[in-house]
Amino acid sequence: MSTQTSRIAVVEQHSLVRLGLETLLSGSTLLTVVALAADPSELPSPAAQRLDVIVYGAPPVTGPSFAKTVDALALSGRVLVVADFAGWQPVTEALRAGAFGCVSKQADEEELLRAVETVALGGLHIAPGLATRLHSELRQPASTPAPALAHREREALRLLATGLTHGQIARRMGLTEATVSTYVKRIRNKLNVRNKADLTRKAIELGLLQDEEFRGNAALASGYSPAA
């Protein structure tokens, strides 16, 4: 009597890591790798192919786009996030976005296989090495959502984070420098930030710096690196 295997997809931007995951998972008699992708957009639509688990190798930078990606992948199957889980990648964020499990990229082969097999059966898996971190995150008080920024405030924040001065922003937006200064003061008060580096972080978290050129300029302007 044959046992039906779980259908697995691997989403990982680095080809060598992607192939390594395929080799590891294909060695299990309980799993069958049916799809490989460098980007979530390359996966077949949910209607085209049933997936039991999507092993998502998350990039080091997160923010709103991270949660949106996990949420979108969850439409196609149960998501297991494999990430560095540095300061930018809270375990709770992955779970709230719909993930069924979290494993560090430093996990050994046995741990990863156990995680995939658990999630394939509908279970929730948090790697032992992340348990203390999860407990700590859950004990933190819930943050109050920051007040929404107006459209022109968001634009001013985006330009400020790329390294432009108030005068340059004023010329770009067709405003007076005094008006730009007023916008920046409002933004600081709404987001409760006081320095340029924190404003840059907020711009990235709000998804305002999606373009790589803007990200590079912002990092140079503030001395802040999202991958740090």
Side-chain angles (χ1 to χ4, degrees):
M1 181 177 178
S2 62
T3 301
Q4 183 176 2
T5 60
S6 298
R7 297 166 61 84
I8 312 299
V10 175
V11 180
E12 165 59 52
Q13 61 181 337
H14 299 294
S15 59
L16 288 178
V17 178
R18 188 168 62 249
L19 292 174
L21 287 170
E22 178 190 22
T23 300
L24 172 64
L25 299 175
S26 297
S28 171
T29 58
L30 302 176
L31 310 173
T32 301
V33 177
V34 298
L36 295 173
D39 186 83
S41 62
E42 299 175 7
L43 284 181
S45 65
Q49 182 165 288
R50 177 184 65 81
L51 297 171
D52 294 302
V53 180
I54 300 171
V55 179
Y56 175 43
V61 177
T62 186
S65 60
F66 172 72
K68 289 180 181 178
T69 299
V70 174
D71 181 66
L73 288 173
L75 297 175
S76 299
R78 291 183 286 274
V79 181
L80 173 68
V81 176
V82 182
D84 289 326
F85 287 105
W88 278 74
Q89 291 171 314
V91 178
T92 49
E93 182 179 350
L95 297 177
R96 289 191 182 107
F100 272 69
C102 295
V103 175
S104 168
K105 285 189 175 181
Q106 286 70 49
D108 59 27
E109 296 181 358
E110 182 180 350
E111 171 66 27
L112 182 60
L113 277 174
R114 183 164 58 249
V116 175
E117 291 170 358
T118 298
V119 172
L121 294 174
L124 182 68
H125 184 97
I126 303 298
L130 298 176
T132 300
R133 174 169 177 160
L134 175 60
H135 184 261
S136 176
E137 289 178 16
L138 291 174
R139 288 175 60 84
Q140 295 175 4
S143 59
T144 303
L149 298 180
H151 174 72
R152 298 289 269 176
E153 291 171 343
R154 290 172 65 88
E155 178 66 8
L157 174 58
R158 183 178 72 86
L159 295 173
L160 185 68
T162 65
L164 298 186
T165 64
H166 288 200
Q168 291 170 326
I169 295 172
R171 290 190 291 275
R172 183 77 65 89
M173 297 180 66
L175 303 170
T176 66
E177 190 168 341
T179 299
V180 171
S181 295
T182 298
Y183 280 170
V184 173
K185 183 177 180 180
R186 288 179 187 168
I187 292 167
R188 290 180 185 276
N189 289 335
K190 285 185 176 182
L191 300 181
N192 192 29
V193 296
R194 293 293 176 264
N195 58 55
K196 181 67 177 295
D198 286 339
L199 281 172
T200 300
R201 290 187 181 93
K202 286 295 184 181
I204 294 173
E205 290 173 8
L206 292 171
L208 301 181
L209 300 182
Q210 297 300 322
D211 186 90
E212 289 302 322
E213 179 181 358
F214 280 128
R215 285 183 182 273
N217 289 344
L220 289 174
S222 65
Y224 166 69
S225 172

